Amino acid sequence: MRNYKHKIKLGFIFMTSLFILSACSDDYLNNSKIYAEDSESFFNSETDYYNALVAAYDPLQSTFINVLMGEIASNNTLCGGESATDVPGYQQVDDMTHTPVNDQLQNVWSWMFGGVNRAAYIIEFQDKTAFTGKEIIIAEARFLRAYYNFELVKWFGDIPIKPEGRFVLGDEKTIPRSPKADVYALIEADLQYAVANLTYTAPQVGRATKGSAEALLGKVYLYQDKFNEAATVLESVIINGGYVLESDYNKIFEFDGENGTGAVFEVQYTDTQGAGFDCLQCSEGNVAVGFQGIRGYDGDLFTSGFSFNIPTQEVVDEFEAGDNRKEVAILDIDAWAASTGAKFTTGYEHTGFYNRKYLPRKRSAEAAGDLNITNPNNYRAIRFADVLLMAAEANNRKSSPDDTKAKIYLNRVRERAFGNANNNITTSGTNLTAAIYKERRVELVGEGHQFFDLVRTGRGTQIPGFTTGKNEVFPIPLEEIQFSQENWIQNDKY
């Protein structure tokens, strides 16, 4: 695989310059038009607002990096790749040796703030033109701003916020990094507005719904240990959202399982528009899928890739006997090759396992552009199983615990996993808490949640190389500190 470095500095200044409504992958919502407009000539019609919304959804596709690095940072996987110098930013995050000079952390910062600013552009001009149904577009914009800000606060802690609208050139020198509590307050307000103005039925596949907003709000509460609030809003998703666990766990991660009955929110990907390594965030496809592919693969079902994000023996051993999720989540490449005759080569830190959920599958037609970075696999950002497990945790950890309800939600997930009720959890209290944590790990392995679950629950030291008081967050990229003329202070110990 080629080492790559984004050649254009996508730092805070770039993202706060004149906004361009051009969604380099505007197929996100099947819109083919490209716009480049300023605020004075835009937002004069419902179509303008809709196209701005398309542009605000578009950066979701760049969250492939958040998922991939979030998993690599945890104790679930090793970085892998071709060698110890293949994408150094990933390797450093895996080893917990990352510094403020890290291209991949710079990408997370830049791309997520790009999303914030696109959503904020709509919010800033929400009152310019009246039309029926505008509140839905505004609600989706506020959901998206919350989604991007939540990613930023998870990764970097205190961040600059601007509730009234876009960041503009010069703000980086005057707007401070807001404390996490203030960031979360803005996220909560955005999501509460979205909940109040959206319905459980999406206007188009892939757009946020009331259920998406409630689920994300529940997660935001959980990250702040607001367990009572989390339990209440997640209960609403469960009772009112109409979501159902797919009976076949394997189907969830195949093409025919996209946007299924358990999909609360999915990032939409397609392979119809190509991209290259000089602009990974321009790809319409899920870049992480090719990165996780089997190195040198020749055989049935899958195509080859770059062997990043390699599951460890430790996480494989977390699956209990009879758990049907193991074969869906983890590909034992030696066993697969022996049974199918497939051939493969090995890369750096080879463990014999791959993240099967997001391996590149063979397709009937060739993709546009580079095959490895245009995989059409949707990212299942919020699944109903995640909602059930968050609700289980919230009920178990709230001020007046309801372990009976917590076990009902937990065991709904386990009964699907085992195909029966023989493995249901019966314990309570802190033992139940530990069981929920373990269930989240095996249910959601490979999906980018484990690092943040460990950090928010005070278990970060389970990650090799983790330093308490430092590695709970990642460093602000050095370029951003320089752009701000030291208006922003670096995170502790970086």
Side-chain angles (χ1 to χ4, degrees):
M1 172 186 175
R2 286 168 283 177
N3 286 322
Y4 65 86
K5 180 177 181 180
H6 190 49
K7 297 179 181 178
I8 300 174
K9 298 300 183 185
L10 283 176
F12 190 81
I13 286 181
F14 176 83
M15 286 304 182
T16 56
S17 63
L18 181 63
F19 184 87
I20 298 176
L21 269 180
S22 66
C24 63
S25 38
D26 45 281
D27 278 340
Y28 190 90
L29 295 177
N30 299 315
N31 187 292
S32 59
K33 296 181 180 179
I34 296 178
Y35 291 82
E37 303 282 349
D38 60 31
S39 57
E40 286 69 32
S41 59
F42 208 67
F43 294 117
N44 297 313
S45 67
E46 180 178 356
T47 300
D48 285 352
Y49 281 87
Y50 174 81
N51 282 296
L53 184 65
V54 171
Y57 270 96
D58 192 69
L60 287 173
Q61 293 172 326
S62 68
T63 58
F64 76 85
I65 192 173
N66 307 43
V67 179
L68 186 61
M69 268 210 303
E71 198 72 8
I72 287 171
S74 78
N75 57 349
N76 279 351
T77 65
L78 301 175
C79 181
E82 183 179 40
S83 68
T85 59
D86 195 359
V87 191
Y90 292 167
Q91 305 288 349
Q92 292 162 13
V93 166
D94 183 28
D95 297 333
M96 290 285 131
T97 59
H98 46 274
T99 71
V101 181
N102 184 299
D103 291 338
Q104 309 315 317
L105 291 174
Q106 176 71 65
N107 285 340
V108 173
W109 176 280
S110 300
W111 297 348
M112 293 307 97
F113 266 114
V116 168
N117 238 28
R118 289 188 180 200
Y121 190 43
I122 303 169
I123 296 165
E124 183 176 336
F125 292 93
Q126 60 185 313
D127 297 326
K128 185 177 180 185
T129 302
F131 57 90
T132 302
K134 186 175 69 171
E135 71 281 356
I136 296 173
I137 288 179
I138 304 305
E140 290 182 62
R142 294 189 67 168
F143 170 86
L144 291 168
R145 183 170 70 172
Y147 192 100
Y148 297 126
N149 272 327
F150 184 49
E151 288 299 312
L152 285 162
V153 76
K154 285 195 309 180
W155 282 87
F156 300 107
D158 300 352
I159 59 168
I161 56 174
K162 192 173 183 181
E164 64 272 24
R166 292 168 296 169
F167 292 100
V168 296
L169 188 62
D171 280 348
E172 70 280 2
K173 300 181 185 68
T174 60
I175 296 179
R177 293 173 63 194
S178 293
K180 284 199 301 183
D182 293 346
V183 179
Y184 276 122
L186 175 61
I187 293 171
E188 288 177 16
D190 279 345
L191 291 174
Q192 287 161 356
Y193 182 94
V195 168
N197 288 278
L198 296 176
T199 68
Y200 289 109
T201 302
Q204 287 173 276
V205 173
R207 289 172 65 175
T209 65
K210 185 183 185 79
S212 308
E214 286 180 325
L216 185 56
L217 180 58
K219 181 168 284 192
V220 167
Y221 285 143
L222 205 63
Y223 270 62
Q224 301 173 82
D225 290 351
K226 295 182 176 180
F227 303 118
N228 289 10
E229 294 91 334
T232 298
V233 72
L234 292 168
E235 181 94 353
S236 179
V237 182
I238 294 166
I239 294 174
N240 302 314
Y243 304 105
V244 178
L245 290 175
E246 292 277 5
S247 58
D248 182 359
Y249 187 77
N250 180 61
K251 183 180 179 182
I252 300 170
F253 302 99
E254 299 299 332
F255 296 139
D256 62 354
E258 293 181 343
N259 303 304
T261 61
V264 181
F265 189 66
E266 289 193 8
V267 177
Q268 309 294 305
Y269 287 102
T270 178
D271 60 1
T272 59
Q273 179 177 322
F277 279 88
D278 59 339
C279 188
L280 288 177
Q281 79 277 18
C282 298
S283 180
E284 284 289 291
N286 190 338
V287 174
V289 172
F291 270 55
Q292 295 173 107
I294 305 160
R295 183 166 289 274
Y297 184 80
D298 181 12
D300 296 334
L301 189 58
F302 306 112
T303 59
S304 65
F306 301 126
S307 67
F308 282 91
N309 200 27
I310 303 300
T312 63
Q313 185 68 55
E314 176 196 330
V315 75
V316 175
D317 292 342
E318 284 290 293
F319 288 90
E320 303 165 50
D323 189 336
N324 296 314
R325 294 172 295 193
K326 181 178 178 181
E327 298 304 315
V328 176
I330 307 293
L331 179 71
D332 182 330
I333 188 59
D334 291 320
W336 176 261
S339 65
T340 66
K343 295 180 174 58
F344 66 96
T345 59
T346 60
Y348 179 60
E349 298 181 314
H350 180 72
T351 64
F353 303 112
Y354 283 89
N355 176 18
R356 183 169 181 163
K357 290 178 179 178
Y358 289 107
L359 286 182
R361 267 65 167 177
K362 287 189 173 180
R363 285 161 270 165
S364 58
E366 286 298 305
D370 192 308
L371 183 68
N372 290 113
I373 57 176
T374 53
N375 281 279
N377 311 52
N378 284 1
Y379 172 54
R380 283 66 167 171
I382 308 176
R383 297 198 283 114
F384 188 48
D386 187 5
V387 171
L388 289 169
L389 293 175
M390 288 192 292
E393 181 182 342
N395 278 283
N396 168 249
R397 299 183 67 192
K398 66 184 184 178
S399 55
S400 297
D402 188 343
D403 282 354
T404 299
K405 185 174 288 187
K407 282 182 278 192
I408 289 172
Y409 295 147
L410 170 62
N411 287 326
R412 283 179 66 176
V413 175
R414 287 181 64 81
E415 286 172 16
R416 178 180 65 177
F418 291 91
N420 56 57
N422 298 336
N423 297 275
N424 283 6
I425 299 297
T426 59
T427 190
S428 298
T430 57
N431 289 333
L432 177 57
T433 310
I436 294 168
Y437 291 163
K438 178 175 180 178
E439 201 66 28
R440 285 190 62 80
R441 187 179 189 186
V442 294
E443 172 69 30
L444 302 171
V445 64
E447 300 179 48
H449 303 294
Q450 174 70 353
F451 174 84
F452 301 104
D453 275 349
L454 289 174
V455 166
R456 71 176 177 81
T457 57
R459 297 176 292 141
T461 54
Q462 294 182 20
I463 301 168
F466 186 95
T467 299
T468 301
K470 174 183 179 181
N471 293 135
E472 289 85 357
V473 291
F474 293 85
I476 306 300
L478 178 61
E479 289 181 354
E480 308 306 327
I481 299 290
Q482 294 172 336
F483 290 152
S484 76
Q485 297 183 1
E486 299 188 358
N487 178 39
W488 301 331
I489 305 302
Q490 185 57 265
N491 285 329
D492 289 347
K493 301 182 181 179
Y494 287 110

